Amino acid sequence: MEHELKDVIKRCDEAIKREDFDTLLHYYTEDAILVVKPGMVARGKVEIKKAYIAIADYFNNSLVPTQGEMLILEAGDTALVISQTMLDSDKEDSEYSMDRRATYVFKKNSQGQWLCAIDNSYGTDLINTTAQI
Amino acid sequence: MEHELKDVIKRCDEAIKREDFDTLLHYYTEDAILVVKPGMVARGKVEIKKAYIAIADYFNNSLVPTQGEMLILEAGDTALVISQTMLDSDKEDSEYSMDRRATYVFKKNSQGQWLCAIDNSYGTDLINTTAQI
């Protein structure tokens, strides 16, 4: 059986594709963080929504994220998702990698829903740069 | 100022070097998991202690872990640590990388202590293997 988090992440990817950021934000904790790019973090739902609007704009409103190989390490109400995240868009000159090894931390709330607390699509590549976050 | 998690991780590394696994286990949550190697996970303190004893034995009781570049992504009571983890030992033929890009998930408990929930020194390399966990 597929882990329920796979379905959550699929619904997030679909919401990003539709640019339905209000639906997307339902899958984040109140104090979630999103690594927008090396050296830049959005904190909380307001900043994350603004970041996604800017990201959509950067990719000419054509961004389609999908996941390849995925591994879910679950410990009680916390899970670390390691995933091959692929980004597709009609932008031809992105300065960011479109094929990433992402790290996502999810927490299960008291209603049993998995919510993203730390969204870092750059994975461990962040420490290969000189980024200071 | 250095993040308090850097000090926690340093104390863990020192406990591993001393093979003082009872002290080490104080820094883990009750339901923590440790990725022992690709495809093998230890769950809970009893299994994690057994795993560390086996790891110490594998490295001829000479294992010394240290951290290089480290990035801490903190979201409320949850933190993802991305760290260059270096392992040194007198074993000359380890089949595992001694220079890793690790991912550690910590949770802050009600007493304000950071405890490790997910200890994955292999980072995103786990999905470059065919490992099934």
Side-chain angles (χ1 to χ4, degrees):
Chain A
M1 201 185 81
E2 282 212 337
H3 195 288
E4 57 196 325
L5 265 171
K6 280 202 174 183
D7 186 52
V8 169
I9 292 168
K10 189 177 179 193
R11 278 180 272 150
C12 289
D13 285 343
E14 289 167 352
I16 291 169
K17 181 182 174 185
R18 292 195 310 272
E19 298 187 14
D20 179 0
F21 301 128
D22 289 324
T23 294
L24 178 63
L25 267 290
H26 285 305
Y27 296 104
Y28 284 83
T29 63
E30 290 301 323
D31 52 11
I33 63 172
L34 165 71
V35 180
V36 180
K37 58 185 180 181
M40 184 188 287
V41 168
R43 293 184 182 278
K45 294 194 177 196
V46 172
E47 283 188 23
I48 291 173
K49 184 173 178 179
K50 281 184 190 167
Y52 269 113
I53 291 169
I55 290 166
D57 181 64
Y58 176 83
F59 286 109
N60 301 332
N61 299 96
S62 65
L63 183 62
V64 181
T66 53
Q67 312 296 318
E69 193 181 353
M70 187 184 289
L71 186 70
I72 297 167
L73 296 169
E74 190 177 346
D77 63 358
T78 306
L80 172 63
V81 179
I82 296 170
S83 187
Q84 181 187 16
T85 296
M86 290 157 289
L87 302 179
D88 190 29
S89 85
D90 66 12
K91 186 178 180 75
E92 290 173 3
D93 57 348
S94 169
E95 60 189 298
Y96 305 105
S97 170
M98 304 298 274
D99 186 352
R100 305 178 184 184
R101 300 294 179 279
T103 50
Y104 307 121
V105 179
F106 279 81
K107 290 165 64 180
K108 197 183 262 184
N109 70 9
S110 55
Q111 287 82 50
Q113 297 168 309
W114 285 105
L115 300 177
C116 185
I118 302 169
D119 184 340
N120 170 30
S121 66
Y122 299 91
T124 59
D125 286 347
L126 286 182
I127 59 168
N128 294 332
T129 70
T130 54
Q132 293 298 319
I133 292 185
Chain B
M1 200 185 80
E2 282 211 339
H3 195 288
E4 57 196 325
L5 265 171
K6 281 202 175 185
D7 187 51
V8 169
I9 292 168
K10 190 177 178 192
R11 278 179 271 150
C12 289
D13 285 344
E14 289 167 353
I16 291 169
K17 182 182 174 185
R18 292 194 311 271
E19 300 187 13
D20 178 1
F21 301 128
D22 289 322
T23 295
L24 178 63
L25 267 291
H26 286 304
Y27 297 103
Y28 284 83
T29 64
E30 290 301 324
D31 51 11
I33 63 173
L34 165 70
V35 180
V36 181
K37 58 185 181 183
M40 184 188 287
V41 168
R43 294 184 182 277
K45 294 195 178 196
V46 173
E47 283 188 21
I48 290 173
K49 184 174 177 179
K50 282 185 190 166
Y52 269 113
I53 291 170
I55 290 166
D57 181 64
Y58 176 82
F59 286 109
N60 301 333
N61 299 96
S62 64
L63 183 63
V64 180
T66 54
Q67 313 295 318
E69 193 181 352
M70 187 185 289
L71 187 69
I72 297 167
L73 296 168
E74 189 176 347
D77 63 358
T78 306
L80 173 62
V81 179
I82 296 170
S83 187
Q84 182 186 16
T85 296
M86 290 156 290
L87 302 179
D88 189 31
S89 85
D90 67 12
K91 187 178 180 75
E92 290 174 1
D93 55 347
S94 169
E95 61 189 296
Y96 306 105
S97 170
M98 304 297 274
D99 187 350
R100 306 179 181 182
R101 300 294 177 280
T103 50
Y104 307 120
V105 179
F106 280 81
K107 291 164 63 180
K108 198 182 263 185
N109 70 9
S110 54
Q111 287 82 48
Q113 298 168 307
W114 286 106
L115 300 177
C116 185
I118 301 169
D119 183 340
N120 170 31
S121 67
Y122 299 91
T124 58
D125 286 348
L126 285 181
I127 58 168
N128 293 332
T129 70
T130 55
Q132 294 297 317
I133 293 187

